[in-house]
């Protein structure tokens, strides 16, 4: 982002929720040189106005600190954003298939149409996934790859041909190529429980050239800005090699074109040689190296492959390898000795217990002594292990993966077990640092408002209640996790997360008041003005003249040109009693009963339409 101008920015007549306990509310701010200088009443702030000041009247809109996603895969996601069709927020299978058909018609050979995470069948009115027959009909010639959570991928016939999967292709370890009665691949890939088959297949697809990857990353950052995100912590990711796959984001940082602040972690890529990866990296880069826009943040979320704790709730919980402790200890000991912060992907309490045994052993020999470390996810962590995390000075970064996978979790473990997945309220009560995030882009959506809706309502994106009222968070507490809470995870609590004099000037003017709108409308909130480093990076609606002009999307056939990011959410549509062209033989005109039913979907071979209903053929 261009930060060449030092012009003061004054924002007046807003309802500022500062997240600063010393001054929780304000109506105006003065921003100078990328920082908040004064926060207070409009009349007081306007006393600083001069001929060079830029003044924007916020017209009584709600203002919050910039949102900070403490666990996202922006760097990898940015390289591919312009290649991906997004079903996030799409209300029906019919709509999703229409989007797929339109994009297949626009996509040139040999490119694919890819829908890579961020959706679940429970968001659809039909409460089912599209079938392979529907996908093949929508795109008979263009390869199509659909990733569903961590459990499966659907490929059409053209994609099977493109990746070379035939009757003779063996199943990889931890994965299954589903076959028909004759042994031919159907197009369904199943993780049992290892998602490597899904990601390895996705990696076979064509990539974008460097110039397009730069544009793609900028488009993804603009989408995040649209949703109010101003900072992220990048958790690395599979097939994201350092430093090769970081050249795009590093170029954008050098050219001052980042509109999202990025603290990045390094994720090992070499099974069996993880220690060698970190030994090499500790010689190349030091934690905190960089600036306020792009800086190194430590190791993880993968430290050793033997500790990979896959969160596929369709399948039984996997047991970690017997040699996990030895391998993890070698890496953690090296990181602690070199004072590298680290994070570790962990889903199940059983795995967390074994990991904590390793950390406590290392701590006895080489004390952590304030070294920042954390668990990511921790859906089933117990109170006992939360206390062990606290005693070692750790934190827990939570994401709204249960909003997308909650139905599967309940089916396997029961409603009662799901009531504390993860136990966020207990973590906060016990004094453990907690940060909010999404884990986008391959499972949950990158939309922070979906995550905030989940924290406040306790519901999945399909509307199923997960948590008791006492375990849902008050709105101000949920927002705290996404602002000042997340700042702890990059060691920046003194710099960001609050609208406070001296902190970095990142804020968001909202389309609706997060603190008062009905719960269902939280999902539809967006930014109408996003400020990063004191500069407007995104503006819409009444404020559109204050923002930068969007850059054109390349390539021109990109799905982003037609379907730019998360679908706009209109909660009132969920309340309509009738939305189809006519009655059907199963429900007559009582379609709302069908929409809200919870039909079984765990069988990979079945689909909702077996009941003979045509309610959703619209």
């Amino acid at each position: 982002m261009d930060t060449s101008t030092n012009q003061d920015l004054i924002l007046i007549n807003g309802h500022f929720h500062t997240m600063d306990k010393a001054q929780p509310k304000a109506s105006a701010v003065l921003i100078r040189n990328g920082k908040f200088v004064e926060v207070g009443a409009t009349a007081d702030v306007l006393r600083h106005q001069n001929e060079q000041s830029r003044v924007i009247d916020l017209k009584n809109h709600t203002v919050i600190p910039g949102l900070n996603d403490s666990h996202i895969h922006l760097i990898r996601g940015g390289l591919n954003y312009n290649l991906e069709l997004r079903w996030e927020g799409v209300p029906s299978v019919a709509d999703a298939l229409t989007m797929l058909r339109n994009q297949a018609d626009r996509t040139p050979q040999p490119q694919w149409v890819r829908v890579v995470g961020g959706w679940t069948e429970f968001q659809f009115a039909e409460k089912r996934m599209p079938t392979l027959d529907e996908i093949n009909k929508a795109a008979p010639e263009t390869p199509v790859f659909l990733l569903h959570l961590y459990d499966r991928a659907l490929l059409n016939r053209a994609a099977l041909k493109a990746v070379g999967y035939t009757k003779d292709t063996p199943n990889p370890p931890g994965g299954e190529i589903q076959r028909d009665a004759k042994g031919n691949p159907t197009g369904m890939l199943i993780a049992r429980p290892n998602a490597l088959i899904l990601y390895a297949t996705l990696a076979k697809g064509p990539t974008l050239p460097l110039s397009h990857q730069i544009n793609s990353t900028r488009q993804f950052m603009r989408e995040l800005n649209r949703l109010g995100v101003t900072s992220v912590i990048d958790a690395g990711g599979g097939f994201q090699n350092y430093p090769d796959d970081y050249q795009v984001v590093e170029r954008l940082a050098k050219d001052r074109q980042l509109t999202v602040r990025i603290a990045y972690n390094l994720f090992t890529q070499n099974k069996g040689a993880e220690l060698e990866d970190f030994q090499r990296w500790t010689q190349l880069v030091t934690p905190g190296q960089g600036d306020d826009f792009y800086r190194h943040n430590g190791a993880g979320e993968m430290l050793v492959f033997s500790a990979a704790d896959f969160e596929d709730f369709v399948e039984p919980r996997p047991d970690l390898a017997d040699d996990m402790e030895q391998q993890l200890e070698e890496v953690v000991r090296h990181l602690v000795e070199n004072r590298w912060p680290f994070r570790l992907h962990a889903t199940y309490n059983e795995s967390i217990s074994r990991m904590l045994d390793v950390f406590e052993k290392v701590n006895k020999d080489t004390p952590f002594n304030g070294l920042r470390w954390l668990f990511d996810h921790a859906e089933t962590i117990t109170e006992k292990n939360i206390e062990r995390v606290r005693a070692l000075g750790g934190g827990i970064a939570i994401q709204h993966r249960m909003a997308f996978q909650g139905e599967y979790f309940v089916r396997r473990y029961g409603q009662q077990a799901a009531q504390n997945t993860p136990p966020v309220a207990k973590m906060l009560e016990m004094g453990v640092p907690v940060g909010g995030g999404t884990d986008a882009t391959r499972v949950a959506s990158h939309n922070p408002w979906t995550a905030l809706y989940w924290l406040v309502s306790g519901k999945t994106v399909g509307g199923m209640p997960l948590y008791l009222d006492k375990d849902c968070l008050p709105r101000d507490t949920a927002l705290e996790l996404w602002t000042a809470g997340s700042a702890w995870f990059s060691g920046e609590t003194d710099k960001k997360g609050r609208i406070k004099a001296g902190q970095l000037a990142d804020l968001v003017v909202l389309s609706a008041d997060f603190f008062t709108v009905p719960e269902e409308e939280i999902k539809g909130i967006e930014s109408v003005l996003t400020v990063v480093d004191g500069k407007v990076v995104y503006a819409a609606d009444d404020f559109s003249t204050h923002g930068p002009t969007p850059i054109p999307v390349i390539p021109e056939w990109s799905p982003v040109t037609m379907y730019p990011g998360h679908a706009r959410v209109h909660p009132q549509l969920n309340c309509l009693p009738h939305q189809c062209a006519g009655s059907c033989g199963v429900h007559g005109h009582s379609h709302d009963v069908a929409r809200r039913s919870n039909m079984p979907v765990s069988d990979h071979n079945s689909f909702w339409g077996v009941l003979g209903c045509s309610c959703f053929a619209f």
Side-chain angles (χ1 to χ4, degrees), residues 267-295:
F267 178 122
T268 183
Q269 302 292 315
N270 296 299
K271 185 177 183 179
E274 297 95 334
L275 179 59
E276 288 85 344
D277 274 346
F278 291 112
Q279 287 173 333
R280 183 173 69 259
W281 291 336
T282 51
Q283 299 300 313
L284 288 177
V285 62
T286 57
Q289 183 175 320
D291 58 25
D292 289 332
F293 266 96
Y294 182 68
R295 63 199 300 270

Side-chain angles (χ1 to χ4, degrees), residues 503-518:
Q503 291 220 349
L504 297 171
D506 305 339
L507 60 78
V508 186
V509 182
L510 301 180
S511 60
D513 183 9
F514 167 67
F515 299 94
T516 61
V517 297

